[in-house]
Amino acid sequence: MIAAECEPWAKTGGLADVVDALARALGRLPRRPVEPVDVFLPRYRSIAVPAAAVARTVRVPDPAALGGTTGIRVVDVPGDGYRLRLVDHPPAFDRDGFYGDAGGDYPDNAWRFGLFCRAALETLRTDGRPLDVVQIHDWHAAPAVLFRDRWYADDPIVGRAAAVATIHNLAYHGWTPRERLGELGLAPGDALASGEMFLPADADGLDLLRAAIERSELVNTVSPGFAIEALTPDYGMGLDGALRAKGDRFFGILNGLDNALWNPATDGDLVAHYSRRSLKGKAEDRRDLLRRVGFDPDDRGAVLGMIGRLDPQKGFDLVAGAADRLVERGARLVVLGSGHPEQLAGLRALADRRPDRVALIEAFDRVLARRIYAGIDLFLMPSRFEPCGQGQMIALRYGSPPIVRRTGGLRDTVVDELTEPGEGTGFAFDDATPDALVAACDAAISLYERGGAPWSGLVRRGMAVDFGWETGPAPRYLEAFERAVAVRRG
């Protein structure tokens, strides 16, 4: 695997969780790969290298270096069921942010991640052991498949490897403008593959994600629902045509959840443990959360929580537009998020006026996130689009029924109690508007206030859903890898 994030070393979103959990799950399958999974990750400034790590230097073609090559240190770190391989090159990765800073994306990202992919391929080539599949995650790893076809086509190790491109977020393409193509070792008119595909001489630049879609043997996204949506102009982010052209070699595999990592019966960050069979501890976690955020722990009014990256995709603006009416309804809001602060402008003003009803925490806090999942009554996830998402899965696991917009992976993972009464696990709405969100919240709060068997049944059904990696996604990925090898070899 080649990825820009991997939990717990580097994370901004769900990509990191998936890379780590999938790598571990593959190693635990009964039909496990012959060799352990390798995960290549940039060694960012925030990553400390363990003392037991083993390092070596590989020479890598580098368009920015005098002489055309540079030495890059690759540090092997034993992971939990896989080998982490840190690509350590301070000029590229010893920076404040992974992808950019307060001023925006780093302008040399094509060079940074191109060099990262080159280092991964050169390491694999010089390892000398057979290589079946390279799984590339999102645009940051896309140069790997271009380089495979452009410079390694005849290499007996890298050239024979199949590529599986896994798309976690179609909104980010890794667009490389014409003047930056040299950072990838390319120029307009150059071959992108041996005698097959060329970059037009008048090209404005290169869409790295599109190129990876076109060159990979198989392409998948992280839920069947989003795979269908991505084929349409409304959700394809300009890549729907390239995805349609893949035919049945583009599909969705629903993300999983690490049931050992996310378990309210064993979670060390909670003041009390609970399970589907005994929910008593959840009431204690609820009181603990309310005290921490400054709410009255004896108030039985519904507590709604939201956790996520502050991005227009996630629907924070819908929550801001609905917040006044939800507070009037008697609800309280706990919102935890980091990213673009302008997404919280409306909520911030309400939190200042009503600190007894709205708690706004602008931070990335793993421990508090767990306490929110356990301590709230209902979880908000009104995404405008959602390839899969894990927040709703965690909320179900922690007995906090989610209120979601009916899109992508949210549609695949939450059964709407309003349309399937007695069988639902949460609540769903269609329109990306504050009014639609308020209506769904009102129905959810009403059921919560009535309590009794209908409410406890809803909670327990959600907690019973098994999203475990080993039981679903990991075997599907192994099948995809085998199919990709077959496509590559004949």
Side-chain angles (χ1 to χ4, degrees):
M1 298 186 189
I2 302 177
E5 299 182 27
C6 182
E7 171 74 11
W9 293 278
K11 175 178 176 175
T12 65
L15 167 64
D17 298 304
V18 172
V19 171
D20 169 65
L22 177 57
R24 284 188 284 114
L26 287 168
R28 292 195 293 260
L29 288 179
R31 290 175 59 226
R32 62 177 296 168
V34 175
E35 299 286 347
V37 176
D38 281 346
V39 176
F40 284 89
L41 176 73
R43 193 231 162 165
Y44 302 110
R45 178 180 293 174
S46 57
I47 299 178
V49 175
V54 177
R56 66 183 170 109
T57 299
V58 294
R59 297 299 302 182
V60 174
D62 179 3
L66 291 174
T69 66
T70 192
I72 294 181
R73 198 168 75 124
V74 177
V75 185
D76 289 348
V77 179
D80 182 8
Y82 60 91
R83 177 169 57 175
L84 181 73
R85 314 194 79 173
L86 297 172
V87 175
D88 186 11
H89 190 58
F93 300 113
D94 186 11
R95 306 186 185 188
D96 289 336
F98 297 167
Y99 313 121
D101 53 24
D105 290 344
Y106 294 127
D108 61 349
N109 271 345
W111 170 73
R112 298 172 69 230
F113 289 102
L115 201 66
F116 165 56
C117 292
R118 272 284 202 175
L121 296 182
E122 281 295 318
T123 300
L124 293 168
R125 185 182 68 80
T126 56
D127 280 347
R129 63 189 178 102
L131 176 65
D132 291 312
V133 177
V134 175
Q135 185 181 18
I136 61 174
H137 293 269
D138 280 350
W139 73 262
H140 327 93
V145 70
L146 290 179
F147 296 165
R148 179 200 66 174
D149 292 351
R150 177 68 175 86
W151 287 291
Y152 296 89
D154 296 326
D155 185 86
I157 294 175
V158 174
R160 72 192 289 274
V164 175
T166 299
I167 301 171
H168 301 262
N169 196 330
L170 266 176
Y172 301 100
H173 293 197
W175 172 254
T176 303
R178 182 186 182 94
E179 63 271 17
R180 293 278 180 180
L181 288 172
E183 296 176 4
L184 294 168
L186 298 171
D190 277 0
L192 298 182
S194 300
E196 272 185 66
M197 183 181 292
F198 291 84
L199 188 63
D202 59 350
D204 293 330
L206 178 64
D207 185 321
L208 285 173
L209 188 58
R210 177 186 290 274
I213 290 169
E214 293 170 346
R215 301 307 311 158
S216 296
E217 276 65 44
L218 297 182
V219 180
N220 80 282
T221 189
V222 288
S223 73
F226 189 69
I228 294 171
E229 292 177 350
L231 299 176
T232 69
D234 287 345
Y235 289 92
M237 306 294 176
L239 297 176
D240 51 291
L243 294 172
R244 288 195 298 272
K246 299 299 288 188
D248 67 356
R249 291 196 286 142
F250 170 63
F251 49 89
I253 299 177
L254 187 67
N255 272 349
L257 189 69
D258 188 323
N259 288 332
L261 183 65
W262 298 101
N263 186 354
T266 58
D267 193 327
D269 292 319
L270 306 184
V271 298
H273 293 149
Y274 59 96
S275 67
R276 181 165 58 96
R277 293 179 178 83
S278 176
L279 293 168
K280 182 179 178 182
K282 186 169 173 61
E284 297 180 49
D285 289 317
R286 184 181 191 275
R287 292 180 63 84
D288 175 68
L289 174 66
L290 299 187
R291 281 192 294 264
R292 290 177 185 276
V293 300
F295 291 170
D296 178 3
D298 296 318
D299 186 338
R300 293 301 306 162
V303 180
L304 281 60
M306 185 172 183
I307 302 168
R309 185 179 71 254
L310 299 181
D311 186 282
Q313 169 198 346
K314 299 299 181 181
F316 279 92
D317 60 318
L318 301 183
V319 176
D324 275 308
R325 283 175 281 174
L326 295 176
V327 168
E328 290 174 6
R329 173 70 169 77
R332 289 171 291 175
L333 295 174
V334 181
V335 178
L336 173 67
S338 62
H340 301 290
E342 66 275 7
Q343 291 292 309
L344 293 178
L347 276 176
R348 197 176 294 113
L350 181 58
D352 290 341
R353 295 197 313 271
R354 297 297 306 272
D356 60 325
R357 312 302 293 178
V358 179
L360 183 57
I361 304 98
E362 298 183 57
F364 176 67
D365 189 325
R366 284 185 173 90
V367 174
L368 181 57
R370 290 176 174 271
R371 290 170 175 162
I372 291 173
Y373 282 121
I376 58 176
D377 302 307
L378 293 155
F379 181 73
L380 299 177
M381 200 163 175
S383 303
R384 294 182 178 279
F385 68 95
E386 192 63 65
C388 182
Q390 285 197 312
Q392 81 283 12
M393 296 181 183
I394 299 169
L396 288 167
R397 180 94 164 135
Y398 279 60
S400 303
I403 301 169
V404 304
R405 185 161 171 269
R406 196 179 278 109
T407 184
L410 301 179
R411 184 197 304 269
D412 293 335
T413 52
V414 178
V415 180
D416 180 24
E417 175 66 10
L418 300 180
T419 56
E420 300 186 46
E423 298 181 11
T425 57
F427 303 85
F429 63 97
D430 291 302
D431 296 335
T433 64
D435 288 346
L437 174 59
V438 168
C441 289
D442 187 64
I445 294 170
S446 294
L447 186 62
Y448 165 77
E449 290 173 340
R450 290 198 298 273
W455 175 257
S456 63
L458 173 72
V459 170
R460 286 187 166 91
R461 285 193 299 274
M463 295 181 75
V465 179
D466 183 5
F467 292 112
W469 279 97
E470 291 88 347
T471 58
R476 289 284 316 281
Y477 273 104
L478 189 54
E479 291 170 3
F481 297 156
E482 292 170 340
R483 182 184 171 200
V485 170
V487 172
R488 182 70 178 169
R489 296 179 188 172

